[in-house]
Amino acid sequence: MLLKELSEAFGPPGQEDEVRDLIREKIAPHVDRIWTDTMGNLYAEKKGRDAAGPRIMLAAHMDEVALMITRIDREGFLHFKSLGGIDQRVLIAKPVVIGRQRVPGVIGAKAVHLLEPEERERALSLRELFIDIGARDKEEAEKLVAIGEGAVFQSRFSSIGGNRVRGKALDNRAGCSALVELLQYDYPVNLTAVFTVQEEVGLRGARIASYNLKPDLALVMETTTAGDVPEAKSHQMSTRLGKGPALTIMDRTLIAAPDLLKALEETAQRLDKPYQWKQTATGGTDGGAIHLTGAGIPTAVVAIPCRYLHSPASVIDLADYQHLIELIHGFLTHAPGRRTGQK
Ligand code: CO
C-alpha cells in the first residue's frame, strides 16, 4: 500500500530525499514532465486537454516533524533541537532512526525516581532529553551519526479498527499519497503537482514553488487536527474522523479564496460526498505561503482529519482519505473550467 510506504519513509525537513525518490518513481509513468528545484521540491506537470485552460497547482508537503542532532556528548549521547512543532510529552522512550545510516536509537531522559518533585509536575523540555544509540562514547557515536542529521520516529504503519490506519508522518504523507493517486487520471485543466519540502519549519518549499509556477489557482492537500477525543469540548473539535475531508475557511496563515471554497463545496454536493468545515482557526499550511506569492494566488486547503498529529501513531479514517481524492478529482474534472461570474 502506497500510504504505508510513504508513512514509513524517512523525511525530516530538508532531508526529504527518500520520500521524493519514492514519489518520483510512482508518478513517472503518469505525468508529462518531472523536475526539482534548488530546495528539493518535486514538480510534476500534467498537460490538460485544453492548453489555454487555467493552470492549477496542487501541493502536498513531503517533510515530517523531526529532531535535528546538534551535539554529541562525551558519553556518546546525542542532543537535539526540534524540526517543526513537536509536543515534548510524546518523546520520552520513543524509538527513533537517525540520519543517512538510519541508525536506531531511543529518546532517553533521567529516570523518574531521580526527578525533583517540581520536575515530576511538568513535561521535560527538549534540553533535558537525549537520544541513546547504544554508543559507548563520543568516538563510537560519531562513526554512526553526524551533527545536522535528522531523527524521526521509528513506527510501523498498520490498520486499526474497521477502516482506520495508524502510523507516523500521516501529516502529510496522506496528502502526498492522495496526490500521487490523483495524478493517475487525466483532466481538462493543466496541472502541476508539487511535493514540497520544509513545510513543518515554516512553509518554506511552497514559497519558492509557487513563485516558480505562478499558477492561476492552488489547492493544498493536507492533514489537519481531529479533536474528537475524550475530554475535548465540542468547540475544540476542529474536525472529526470519518466525517469527510475538511475545508478551511481560515487558519493562522490563510483566509481561503471564497470562490474556490464555493466551487469545492458545490463539487462535494454535486457528487453527494461528505465534507466538513474546519472548526478552529489554528494551524497553518503551505497555503499561507502560496496565496501571498506574486500578485496573489487564489488558494484553498482540503485536509484529512488526523488524530495525534505529529506523533509516532497518528490515526486517520481511510474513508476521509478516499473522499478527499474523489472531491479533488471531481473539482478538477468540472469546476475550474468555469471562470468566476460565467456560470
Ligand atoms: Co502538515
Side-chain angles (χ1 to χ4, degrees), residues 61 171-172 199-200 222-223:
H61 72 87
D171 173 14
N172 183 31
E199 191 271 350
E200 297 289 359
E222 256 288 10
T223 44

Side-chain angles (χ1 to χ4, degrees), residues 42 119 207:
L42 177 70
E119 287 177 320
R207 193 176 304 272

Side-chain angles (χ1 to χ4, degrees), residues 224-241 243 246-247 276-282 305-307:
T224 190
T225 312
D228 55 341
V229 294
E231 303 288 311
K233 308 215 167 50
S234 71
H235 71 272
Q236 296 173 320
M237 295 187 184
S238 185
T239 63
R240 293 161 194 259
L241 248 59
K243 301 289 184 194
L247 299 172
Q276 56 186 314
W277 299 105
K278 182 175 150 79
Q279 296 292 323
T280 57
T282 53
C306 181
R307 290 181 188 156

Side-chain angles (χ1 to χ4, degrees), residues 10 95-99 102-105 150-154:
F10 180 90
V96 291
V97 284
I98 310 141
R102 308 290 191 259
V103 174
V152 302
F153 296 121
Q154 184 172 39

